[in-house]
Amino acid sequence: MKFETQAIRTQTERTQFSEHSTPLYLTSSFVFDNAEDMRASFAEEKEKNLYSRFSNPNTTEFVSKIVAMEGAEAGYAFATGMAAVFSTFAALLNAGDHIVSSRSVFGSTHTLFTKYFPKWNIETSYFKVNEVDTIEKLIQPNTKILYAETPTNPAVDILDLELLGNIAKKHNLLLVIDNCFATPYLQNPIKFGADLVIHSATKLIDGQGRVLGGVAVGKSDLIREIYLFSRNTGPAMSPFNAWVLSKSLETLAVRVEKHCENALKVAKFLENHPKVNFVKYPFLPSHPQYETAKKQMRLGGNIVAFEIKGGIDAGRNFLDSLKICSLSANLGDTRTIVTHPASTTHSKLSIEEKQEVGITNGLIRCSIGLEFVDDIINDINQALNI
Ligand SMILES: *Cc1c(COP(=O)(O)O)cnc(C)c1O
């Protein structure tokens, strides 16, 4: 089955009522026929739902779809993207292990590396997205995980997944990729050698800004470790959110196609605007890693970054002048969302730290939505011209 068909036809069993659409299984636990059924279920001699912290028909359906879409063997669903990131590391690492990570990772992931993991004597070394030749020099005897996101947030840089896959293989590291910005529709890191793929389902997978969710998929033995850790520590996704997100996946392909079509048009418009210094969009030939993006992505995604002339003040004025686009911290919504990292999400970074992750004072990040594209462009244009 092709992607769109899997997204729609991967489904959990129906009840005696023969629902066409998947029912919502709002139940914390499940009953057993008798003592032997219960014993065999707990002994994992039978595949049976026991308790919704372990599994539930709705989370199983959601996970099965992501597993199929990413070409993985197994997966587990989490309450949030960060629960997926944290639990993956916590399940697989021991005290004294070492991580090599891209410097351009999601803010809370960076905080895990710098503030929390050192408590357990787990240290992280960073490489910059434009200095991948330094990765091998960072690897130590105790390095266990190679970690990256691509495209990156907020500067929309692209890392070569094939290259990362080769380095991980050569040094016997686990390659873990946060594939949130690309979605399983645009990019499948497992094809390039990733062992595990993580998504914040809060973003384009939900796509409508309603629920939080996360998922990790990959090799069965690794997912087994993550599952056992999670079934005891409790970061599970709620059945309701799984039901919403599984429904969302049915339309992922058409939504993401349209997001990308709109984003490319906005990027092309911005490229010729006199108030704009530069535009970064993976499928514009001017993007520094355009060839890599073409190699590993189906389309360019929905995030467009550009630098407005005039720095911090121009960035703030631009945000204040928008009439349709929202100022919000989310991304991947039907609504176009604009942020100014230098004055908001990344304001606490030093100038050097901002440079390391490609954030200039005038950088604007747009998560292009599904509004009629000329309305988005006109709104951005009038705000740039004020
Ligand atoms: C949002 C995001 C996360 C965290 O996801 P939550 O669902 O908000 O916990 C992790 N990685 C990336 C790349 C994200 O954009």
Side-chain angles (χ1 to χ4, degrees):
M1 286 195 286
K2 291 285 186 204
F3 189 94
E4 291 83 345
T5 318
Q6 279 170 343
I8 293 167
R9 294 289 172 180
T10 303
Q11 55 186 38
T12 192
E13 278 172 41
R14 300 307 190 233
T15 73
Q16 73 273 25
F17 298 115
S18 311
E19 304 86 357
H20 192 196
S21 176
T22 301
L24 171 55
Y25 293 93
L26 269 189
T27 179
S28 39
S29 69
F30 301 83
V31 287
F32 304 95
D33 298 336
N34 49 48
E36 173 52 23
D37 180 34
M38 193 164 183
R39 184 206 62 78
S41 302
F42 271 85
E44 296 189 59
E45 289 165 19
K46 293 184 171 184
E47 248 188 60
K48 198 161 171 169
N49 293 301
L50 313 182
Y51 191 59
S52 288
R53 169 150 44 83
F54 307 177
S55 69
N56 170 285
N58 291 118
T59 51
T60 302
E61 182 184 277
F62 169 68
V63 170
S64 304
K65 287 185 185 185
I66 302 282
V67 164
M69 290 169 165
E70 288 286 11
E73 293 171 4
Y76 185 79
F78 298 88
T80 66
M82 281 320 300
V85 173
F86 175 74
S87 304
T88 298
F89 282 108
L92 300 176
L93 292 180
N94 293 315
D97 283 343
H98 176 247
I99 302 163
V100 172
S101 171
S102 160
R103 178 62 189 82
S104 299
V105 291
F106 188 69
S108 297
T109 305
H110 187 244
T111 304
L112 288 182
F113 293 161
T114 51
K115 185 163 175 200
Y116 295 105
F117 290 171
K119 292 208 295 189
W120 299 299
N121 196 21
I122 293 168
E123 300 294 336
T124 305
S125 303
Y126 295 106
F127 61 91
K128 294 186 206 163
V129 287
N130 57 353
E131 293 179 0
V132 287
D133 50 326
T134 62
I135 297 175
E136 291 195 87
K137 291 181 204 129
L138 300 173
I139 296 170
Q140 307 174 5
N142 59 341
T143 307
K144 188 122 179 235
I145 288 179
L146 178 59
Y147 189 79
E149 296 171 11
T150 178
T152 65
N153 178 30
V156 219
D157 287 303
I158 301 291
L159 280 161
D160 188 333
L161 289 170
E162 191 181 2
L163 178 106
L164 297 180
N166 289 341
I167 294 173
K169 201 169 174 195
K170 181 172 158 197
H171 296 273
N172 201 18
L173 309 179
L174 296 176
L175 177 60
V176 183
I177 299 292
D178 180 334
N179 202 26
C180 171
F181 272 42
T183 81
Y185 181 65
L186 298 180
Q187 171 176 284
N188 297 130
I190 289 172
K191 268 193 219 152
F192 299 98
D195 298 285
L196 289 164
V197 174
I198 294 174
H199 285 281
S200 165
T202 314
K203 313 296 167 51
L204 284 152
I205 289 179
D206 175 36
Q208 290 142 90
R210 301 165 300 184
V211 299
L212 299 166
V215 63
V217 301
K219 299 213 169 100
S220 303
D221 54 334
L222 300 173
I223 293 294
R224 174 86 187 150
E225 290 302 316
I226 294 168
Y227 163 73
L228 291 174
F229 175 83
S230 304
R231 97 177 222 174
N232 288 297
T233 54
M237 176 181 278
S238 88
F240 177 75
N241 285 11
W243 178 81
V244 170
L245 292 166
S246 186
K247 283 264 136 213
S248 289
L249 286 174
E250 295 185 15
T251 57
L252 184 73
V254 283
R255 285 188 287 108
V256 172
E257 283 276 343
K258 189 68 183 174
H259 274 291
C260 296
E261 184 190 319
N262 283 357
L264 182 61
K265 284 183 185 161
V266 171
K268 283 185 175 160
F269 162 78
L270 287 167
E271 240 187 352
N272 300 310
H273 201 286
K275 294 266 176 76
V276 171
N277 282 333
F278 66 79
V279 182
K280 266 172 73 196
Y281 183 69
F283 269 37
L284 280 184
S286 59
H287 190 286
Q289 298 100 20
Y290 172 71
E291 292 305 328
T292 310
K294 282 269 176 181
K295 179 177 77 172
Q296 64 196 30
M297 296 176 77
R298 192 197 292 251
L299 293 164
N302 85 315
I303 309 292
V304 179
F306 68 95
E307 189 182 70
I308 191 167
K309 287 186 183 160
I312 291 264
D313 290 343
R316 287 172 55 103
N317 281 342
F318 173 73
L319 257 64
D320 283 339
S321 308
L322 291 163
K323 295 197 166 90
I324 296 175
C325 300
S326 315
L327 313 187
S328 171
N330 196 21
L331 61 94
D333 198 327
T334 52
R335 294 163 182 79
T336 297
I337 293 170
V338 176
T339 58
H340 180 224
S343 71
T344 58
T345 47
H346 295 73
S347 62
K348 291 197 191 76
L349 267 58
S350 67
I351 294 172
E352 295 77 39
E353 285 173 327
K354 279 187 214 155
Q355 269 171 355
E356 278 181 19
V357 292
I359 297 171
T360 60
N361 283 340
L363 191 82
I364 306 283
R365 185 195 79 184
C366 304
S367 163
I368 303 300
L370 299 179
E371 300 97 335
F372 190 73
V373 68
D374 289 349
D375 289 329
I376 305 171
I377 290 174
N378 289 340
D379 192 32
I380 291 174
N381 190 34
Q382 65 81 24
L384 280 173
N385 290 332
I386 281 172

PDB file of all heavy atoms in Angstrom, residues 80-83 85 106 109 149 153 178 180-181 200-203 212-213 331, ligand 1:
ATOM      1  N   THR A  80       3.830  14.093  24.561  1.00  0.00           N
ATOM      2  CA  THR A  80       4.352  15.263  23.837  1.00  0.00           C
ATOM      3  C   THR A  80       5.599  14.847  23.056  1.00  0.00           C
ATOM      4  O   THR A  80       6.171  13.771  23.299  1.00  0.00           O
ATOM      5  CB  THR A  80       4.794  16.389  24.813  1.00  0.00           C
ATOM      6  OG1 THR A  80       5.914  15.907  25.572  1.00  0.00           O
ATOM      7  CG2 THR A  80       3.684  16.807  25.767  1.00  0.00           C
ATOM      8  N   GLY A  81       6.045  15.725  22.203  1.00  0.00           N
ATOM      9  CA  GLY A  81       7.297  15.488  21.490  1.00  0.00           C
ATOM     10  C   GLY A  81       8.473  15.405  22.452  1.00  0.00           C
ATOM     11  O   GLY A  81       9.355  14.560  22.310  1.00  0.00           O
ATOM     12  N   MET A  82       8.469  16.294  23.468  1.00  0.00           N
ATOM     13  CA  MET A  82       9.585  16.276  24.419  1.00  0.00           C
ATOM     14  C   MET A  82       9.600  14.998  25.252  1.00  0.00           C
ATOM     15  O   MET A  82      10.677  14.518  25.630  1.00  0.00           O
ATOM     16  CB  MET A  82       9.553  17.513  25.331  1.00  0.00           C
ATOM     17  CG  MET A  82      10.104  18.771  24.680  1.00  0.00           C
ATOM     18  SD  MET A  82      11.566  18.538  23.643  1.00  0.00           S
ATOM     19  CE  MET A  82      12.751  17.872  24.803  1.00  0.00           C
ATOM     20  N   ALA A  83       8.428  14.450  25.564  1.00  0.00           N
ATOM     21  CA  ALA A  83       8.389  13.168  26.280  1.00  0.00           C
ATOM     22  C   ALA A  83       9.043  12.094  25.417  1.00  0.00           C
ATOM     23  O   ALA A  83       9.758  11.219  25.928  1.00  0.00           O
ATOM     24  CB  ALA A  83       6.953  12.786  26.621  1.00  0.00           C
ATOM     25  N   VAL A  85      11.428  12.610  23.099  1.00  0.00           N
ATOM     26  CA  VAL A  85      12.868  12.870  23.062  1.00  0.00           C
ATOM     27  C   VAL A  85      13.505  12.412  24.370  1.00  0.00           C
ATOM     28  O   VAL A  85      14.477  11.646  24.374  1.00  0.00           O
ATOM     29  CB  VAL A  85      13.147  14.386  22.834  1.00  0.00           C
ATOM     30  CG1 VAL A  85      14.637  14.694  22.965  1.00  0.00           C
ATOM     31  CG2 VAL A  85      12.633  14.821  21.459  1.00  0.00           C
ATOM     32  N   PHE A 106      15.987  21.631  18.807  1.00  0.00           N
ATOM     33  CA  PHE A 106      14.870  22.269  19.502  1.00  0.00           C
ATOM     34  C   PHE A 106      15.312  22.739  20.901  1.00  0.00           C
ATOM     35  O   PHE A 106      16.076  22.046  21.572  1.00  0.00           O
ATOM     36  CB  PHE A 106      13.732  21.242  19.601  1.00  0.00           C
ATOM     37  CG  PHE A 106      12.454  21.794  20.117  1.00  0.00           C
ATOM     38  CD1 PHE A 106      11.717  22.688  19.360  1.00  0.00           C
ATOM     39  CD2 PHE A 106      11.969  21.418  21.362  1.00  0.00           C
ATOM     40  CE1 PHE A 106      10.526  23.204  19.845  1.00  0.00           C
ATOM     41  CE2 PHE A 106      10.782  21.919  21.853  1.00  0.00           C
ATOM     42  CZ  PHE A 106      10.057  22.819  21.089  1.00  0.00           C
ATOM     43  N   THR A 109      15.230  20.393  23.887  1.00  0.00           N
ATOM     44  CA  THR A 109      16.194  19.301  23.714  1.00  0.00           C
ATOM     45  C   THR A 109      17.581  19.788  24.125  1.00  0.00           C
ATOM     46  O   THR A 109      18.325  19.098  24.832  1.00  0.00           O
ATOM     47  CB  THR A 109      16.200  18.813  22.250  1.00  0.00           C
ATOM     48  OG1 THR A 109      14.865  18.451  21.896  1.00  0.00           O
ATOM     49  CG2 THR A 109      17.125  17.638  22.049  1.00  0.00           C
ATOM     50  N   GLU A 149      18.443  17.145  13.895  1.00  0.00           N
ATOM     51  CA  GLU A 149      17.161  17.511  13.282  1.00  0.00           C
ATOM     52  C   GLU A 149      17.473  18.073  11.900  1.00  0.00           C
ATOM     53  O   GLU A 149      18.450  18.783  11.743  1.00  0.00           O
ATOM     54  CB  GLU A 149      16.482  18.640  14.079  1.00  0.00           C
ATOM     55  CG  GLU A 149      16.101  18.274  15.473  1.00  0.00           C
ATOM     56  CD  GLU A 149      15.633  19.501  16.290  1.00  0.00           C
ATOM     57  OE1 GLU A 149      15.412  20.586  15.715  1.00  0.00           O
ATOM     58  OE2 GLU A 149      15.499  19.344  17.506  1.00  0.00           O
ATOM     59  N   ASN A 153      15.509  24.215  13.078  1.00  0.00           N
ATOM     60  CA  ASN A 153      14.672  25.288  13.586  1.00  0.00           C
ATOM     61  C   ASN A 153      15.586  26.326  14.229  1.00  0.00           C
ATOM     62  O   ASN A 153      16.418  25.947  15.046  1.00  0.00           O
ATOM     63  CB  ASN A 153      13.725  24.692  14.643  1.00  0.00           C
ATOM     64  CG  ASN A 153      12.842  25.731  15.278  1.00  0.00           C
ATOM     65  OD1 ASN A 153      12.500  26.729  14.657  1.00  0.00           O
ATOM     66  ND2 ASN A 153      12.475  25.507  16.525  1.00  0.00           N
ATOM     67  N   ASP A 178      15.275  13.647  14.829  1.00  0.00           N
ATOM     68  CA  ASP A 178      13.998  14.315  15.087  1.00  0.00           C
ATOM     69  C   ASP A 178      13.500  14.806  13.717  1.00  0.00           C
ATOM     70  O   ASP A 178      14.057  15.734  13.133  1.00  0.00           O
ATOM     71  CB  ASP A 178      14.227  15.478  16.056  1.00  0.00           C
ATOM     72  CG  ASP A 178      12.950  16.231  16.393  1.00  0.00           C
ATOM     73  OD1 ASP A 178      12.011  16.218  15.569  1.00  0.00           O
ATOM     74  OD2 ASP A 178      12.897  16.853  17.468  1.00  0.00           O
ATOM     75  N   CYS A 180      10.600  16.051  12.850  1.00  0.00           N
ATOM     76  CA  CYS A 180       9.377  16.832  13.044  1.00  0.00           C
ATOM     77  C   CYS A 180       9.100  17.821  11.907  1.00  0.00           C
ATOM     78  O   CYS A 180       7.982  17.912  11.407  1.00  0.00           O
ATOM     79  CB  CYS A 180       9.514  17.572  14.373  1.00  0.00           C
ATOM     80  SG  CYS A 180       8.262  18.771  14.689  1.00  0.00           S
ATOM     81  N   PHE A 181      10.125  18.546  11.462  1.00  0.00           N
ATOM     82  CA  PHE A 181       9.893  19.575  10.441  1.00  0.00           C
ATOM     83  C   PHE A 181       9.552  18.971   9.084  1.00  0.00           C
ATOM     84  O   PHE A 181       8.919  19.620   8.266  1.00  0.00           O
ATOM     85  CB  PHE A 181      11.127  20.491  10.311  1.00  0.00           C
ATOM     86  CG  PHE A 181      11.105  21.654  11.248  1.00  0.00           C
ATOM     87  CD1 PHE A 181      10.696  21.494  12.563  1.00  0.00           C
ATOM     88  CD2 PHE A 181      11.489  22.919  10.830  1.00  0.00           C
ATOM     89  CE1 PHE A 181      10.659  22.577  13.442  1.00  0.00           C
ATOM     90  CE2 PHE A 181      11.456  24.006  11.698  1.00  0.00           C
ATOM     91  CZ  PHE A 181      11.048  23.831  12.999  1.00  0.00           C
ATOM     92  N   SER A 200       7.541  15.270  17.024  1.00  0.00           N
ATOM     93  CA  SER A 200       6.527  15.964  17.812  1.00  0.00           C
ATOM     94  C   SER A 200       5.282  15.939  16.931  1.00  0.00           C
ATOM     95  O   SER A 200       5.238  16.587  15.881  1.00  0.00           O
ATOM     96  CB  SER A 200       6.948  17.406  18.082  1.00  0.00           C
ATOM     97  OG  SER A 200       5.806  18.124  18.524  1.00  0.00           O
ATOM     98  N   ALA A 201       4.267  15.179  17.351  1.00  0.00           N
ATOM     99  CA  ALA A 201       3.034  15.091  16.556  1.00  0.00           C
ATOM    100  C   ALA A 201       2.182  16.344  16.704  1.00  0.00           C
ATOM    101  O   ALA A 201       1.195  16.532  15.995  1.00  0.00           O
ATOM    102  CB  ALA A 201       2.246  13.855  16.976  1.00  0.00           C
ATOM    103  N   THR A 202       2.592  17.204  17.644  1.00  0.00           N
ATOM    104  CA  THR A 202       1.912  18.486  17.897  1.00  0.00           C
ATOM    105  C   THR A 202       1.926  19.380  16.663  1.00  0.00           C
ATOM    106  O   THR A 202       1.050  20.225  16.504  1.00  0.00           O
ATOM    107  CB  THR A 202       2.660  19.206  19.045  1.00  0.00           C
ATOM    108  OG1 THR A 202       2.921  18.279  20.092  1.00  0.00           O
ATOM    109  CG2 THR A 202       1.878  20.382  19.569  1.00  0.00           C
ATOM    110  N   LYS A 203       2.915  19.211  15.815  1.00  0.00           N
ATOM    111  CA  LYS A 203       3.134  20.144  14.705  1.00  0.00           C
ATOM    112  C   LYS A 203       2.333  19.689  13.481  1.00  0.00           C
ATOM    113  O   LYS A 203       1.127  19.607  13.548  1.00  0.00           O
ATOM    114  CB  LYS A 203       4.641  20.258  14.427  1.00  0.00           C
ATOM    115  CG  LYS A 203       5.491  20.466  15.681  1.00  0.00           C
ATOM    116  CD  LYS A 203       5.212  21.785  16.392  1.00  0.00           C
ATOM    117  CE  LYS A 203       5.812  21.885  17.785  1.00  0.00           C
ATOM    118  NZ  LYS A 203       7.225  21.564  17.898  1.00  0.00           N
ATOM    119  N   LEU A 212      -1.346  17.926  21.785  1.00  0.00           N
ATOM    120  CA  LEU A 212       0.077  17.629  21.896  1.00  0.00           C
ATOM    121  C   LEU A 212       0.272  16.127  21.701  1.00  0.00           C
ATOM    122  O   LEU A 212      -0.601  15.330  22.048  1.00  0.00           O
ATOM    123  CB  LEU A 212       0.595  18.013  23.272  1.00  0.00           C
ATOM    124  CG  LEU A 212       0.487  19.492  23.671  1.00  0.00           C
ATOM    125  CD1 LEU A 212       0.716  19.645  25.168  1.00  0.00           C
ATOM    126  CD2 LEU A 212       1.474  20.338  22.910  1.00  0.00           C
ATOM    127  N   GLY A 213       1.417  15.764  21.185  1.00  0.00           N
ATOM    128  CA  GLY A 213       1.719  14.346  21.041  1.00  0.00           C
ATOM    129  C   GLY A 213       3.142  14.156  20.566  1.00  0.00           C
ATOM    130  O   GLY A 213       3.777  15.080  20.051  1.00  0.00           O
ATOM    131  N   LEU A 331       3.912  25.691  15.346  1.00  0.00           N
ATOM    132  CA  LEU A 331       4.182  25.679  13.908  1.00  0.00           C
ATOM    133  C   LEU A 331       3.467  24.481  13.307  1.00  0.00           C
ATOM    134  O   LEU A 331       3.041  23.572  14.030  1.00  0.00           O
ATOM    135  CB  LEU A 331       5.682  25.638  13.616  1.00  0.00           C
ATOM    136  CG  LEU A 331       6.486  24.443  14.120  1.00  0.00           C
ATOM    137  CD1 LEU A 331       6.607  23.362  13.052  1.00  0.00           C
ATOM    138  CD2 LEU A 331       7.870  24.892  14.536  1.00  0.00           C
TER     139      LEU A 331
HETATM  140  C1  LIG B   1       7.957  21.192  18.947  1.00  0.00           C
HETATM  141  C2  LIG B   1       9.155  20.372  18.766  1.00  0.00           C
HETATM  142  C3  LIG B   1       9.538  19.433  19.730  1.00  0.00           C
HETATM  143  C4  LIG B   1       8.791  19.252  21.025  1.00  0.00           C
HETATM  144  O1  LIG B   1       7.491  18.825  20.822  1.00  0.00           O
HETATM  145  P1  LIG B   1       6.301  19.077  21.880  1.00  0.00           P
HETATM  146  O2  LIG B   1       5.183  18.300  21.311  1.00  0.00           O
HETATM  147  O3  LIG B   1       6.064  20.557  21.922  1.00  0.00           O
HETATM  148  O4  LIG B   1       6.765  18.575  23.202  1.00  0.00           O
HETATM  149  C5  LIG B   1      10.664  18.663  19.487  1.00  0.00           C
HETATM  150  N1  LIG B   1      11.376  18.818  18.341  1.00  0.00           N
HETATM  151  C6  LIG B   1      11.046  19.721  17.401  1.00  0.00           C
HETATM  152  C7  LIG B   1      11.885  19.833  16.173  1.00  0.00           C
HETATM  153  C8  LIG B   1       9.921  20.527  17.573  1.00  0.00           C
HETATM  154  O5  LIG B   1       9.609  21.427  16.626  1.00  0.00           O
END
